[in-house]
Every structure is written in structure tokens, then in C-alpha cells.
Amino acid sequence: MQRRKFVSDSAKATICILAAGSLLGQQSCSSSKQSSSRNRYYPQSPGLTQQPLPYNYKALEPAIDATTMEIHYSRHAATYTKNMTEALTAEAPGITHLEDLFASMSKYSAKLRNNAGGHYNHESFWRWMTPGGKAMPASLQTVIEQQLGSVSDLRNQLMAAATGRFGSGWAWLVLDGQKKLQIGSTPNQDNPLMDLSELKGYPLLGVDVWEHAYYLKYQNKRADYLNAWWSLINWEEVNARYQFAMSL
Ligand code: MN
């Protein structure tokens, strides 16, 4: 048995090596990886309950004030989780991972779409920020430079997507199906994992541009909020999601 498994794994490795360089070959190589026990779900992906904030309400000051954080987490986000739970119970009681729900989101109600999106997006958002920010790993910086030009280009494109989103929504950095970085935005509480989203991909980083995220401190100055938010980004979390998305 052990020898047979070794031969089988070696054969897969050989196929991957032979296929290297062609897009078709890379896809067949990754599908052979998928057939093993690789996890389909990001280990730190939001579950079905609201988790404690990983820092206190005032920890992100001065970029984001404590009152905004408290209202945002304990009222807005908590309400999405509560309403998601109701809608899941009514419509999709078998769902254990939101990724599976999002993949067929178009089959469900607006209530479930808005609240499951709201829950997932906020649970992720709290973890994309950390007091003082965390530096970008060099390997991620290299990928960004290869695909987008520079970190400044990424920032400019993300800011343009975030300020250009009319009304409420989110701006995103995603890894698309061709394993390329893409930047865009979604309306309301949609996200790029949803089958009905125009922007599709695995979310590496997202920013909330609803007025409730910034209005108390920044009023209508969304761009000022976004500039302050940039300093809070936890690039280690972004990199962990990138590594995971590359393995899918
Ligand atoms: Mn929000």
C-alpha cells in the first residue's frame, strides 16, 4: 500500500512538472492537488456566529474612533449576524460553511443575501485591520509588483474602486479564477464569492464604504477615511488568504 501511494504521488508530481508552463497543464496539476485532502475552506474563515473583536473599540484610534467601532460592531454587524441566523434557519438549515451558500446565493432570498454577506464581510473586515497595521510580507509585495506594478498602484486602484462605489458597498482585492489579482467593488453587502456578483474571486482584502463605517468622524469625506484605514491593514492576514486562495 505504501509503495503504491508513493508511486501515485510521484506520478502526480511528474504530471505537474511536465505540465509546468502551460495554463492548461497548471489547471490539471492543481486539480490533482484538489483531489487529495486539501481544505476547501480557509481555516480562519468566518463561521456562523459573531466572534469577539480581536482588539478593543478604541484600539484603532485615531484612524477609526471608538464610538464608530462600538456602534459598527455591536449594532450593525451584530444585527447582520442575528438576521442571517433567522434566514439560514428558514431557508438553508444545512449550510455549515458560508462559502457554499455564496456559491449558490442567487437561489436564496434578499434577506439571506444581505445578512449573510453582512456577517461574512464584517467578520473578515475586523481581521483585515489591526492596531498600527502589520507590514506586508516580501513575497506578497513581489506578487503585487509583478501583477499590478507597485504597492502604490494597488493602493490607487483600491482607493478608486472604494471612492467610485456609489452609495453603500465594499471595495476588494481578490484572487480571480486565473490566480490573478483583481480590484473592484460590490454594492450593499454583496461579496466576490457570490455567484451573482459581477466581481468574482477569493477576497484577499476588503474595505467597508458604508457611511456607518466612517460618518461620525469623517462625515462625507470617504477618501479621508480610506487613507486612514490604509494604515491599519493587517497584511499578514491578506498574505495568509493569498496563500490559501492559491492552493484552491
Ligand atoms: Mn459596516
Side-chain angles (χ1 to χ4, degrees), residues 72 76-77 80 122 125-126 170 189 208 210 212-213:
H72 201 176
H76 293 283
Y80 293 125
H122 286 87
F125 183 54
W126 312 135
W170 292 71
Q189 294 295 353
D208 188 344
W210 284 57
H212 70 223

Side-chain angles (χ1 to χ4, degrees), residues 34 37-47 94-103 120 193 202 240-241 244-245 247-248:
Q34 218 163 34
S37 59
R38 188 172 288 277
N39 194 351
R40 292 171 54 212
Y41 307 110
Y42 179 52
Q44 288 79 42
S45 187
I95 288 291
T96 55
H97 290 86
L98 290 173
E99 291 87 341
D100 297 332
L101 177 75
F102 295 148
Y120 179 96
L193 293 170
Y202 192 83
R241 279 174 168 264
F244 170 75
S247 78
L248 284 173

Side-chain angles (χ1 to χ4, degrees), residues 28-202:
S28 67
C29 176
S30 68
S31 71
S32 77
K33 277 194 289 184
Q34 218 163 34
S35 66
S36 69
S37 59
R38 188 172 288 277
N39 194 351
R40 292 171 54 212
Y41 307 110
Y42 179 52
Q44 288 79 42
S45 187
L48 301 180
T49 55
Q50 190 181 36
Q51 297 300 303
L53 263 190
Y55 35 76
N56 64 43
Y57 290 138
K58 63 181 180 185
L60 303 183
E61 288 187 344
I64 301 180
D65 61 285
T67 306
T68 295
M69 282 301 296
E70 179 169 4
I71 294 171
H72 201 176
Y73 174 84
S74 71
R75 300 193 206 168
H76 293 283
T79 302
Y80 293 125
T81 307
K82 176 178 172 289
N83 291 338
M84 174 189 73
T85 304
E86 282 178 14
L88 275 176
T89 303
E91 297 179 45
I95 288 291
T96 55
H97 290 86
L98 290 173
E99 291 87 341
D100 297 332
L101 177 75
F102 295 148
S104 54
M105 197 73 251
S106 54
K107 295 179 186 168
Y108 296 96
S109 71
K111 176 177 178 178
L112 186 52
R113 172 181 173 180
N114 290 335
N115 290 287
H119 169 79
Y120 179 96
N121 296 348
H122 286 87
E123 285 288 293
S124 303
F125 183 54
W126 312 135
R127 285 156 187 81
W128 278 317
M129 301 184 288
T130 195
K134 275 192 184 163
M136 183 183 290
S139 59
L140 180 62
Q141 184 173 337
T142 300
V143 172
I144 290 168
E145 288 170 353
Q146 284 170 345
Q147 295 189 27
L148 300 174
S150 69
V151 175
S152 291
D153 290 321
L154 162 64
R155 177 180 171 141
N156 291 339
Q157 289 182 46
L158 191 61
M159 296 297 152
T163 53
R165 166 53 53 188
F166 183 77
S168 297
W170 292 71
W172 304 95
L173 171 68
V174 305
L175 193 70
D176 72 11
Q178 283 72 51
K179 305 295 186 197
K180 295 293 180 194
L181 301 175
Q182 300 288 349
I183 292 159
S185 70
T186 55
N188 304 315
Q189 294 295 353
D190 288 357
N191 70 46
L193 293 170
M194 294 182 180
D195 61 348
L196 37 67
S197 176
E198 196 174 320
L199 175 72
K200 283 197 179 62
Y202 192 83

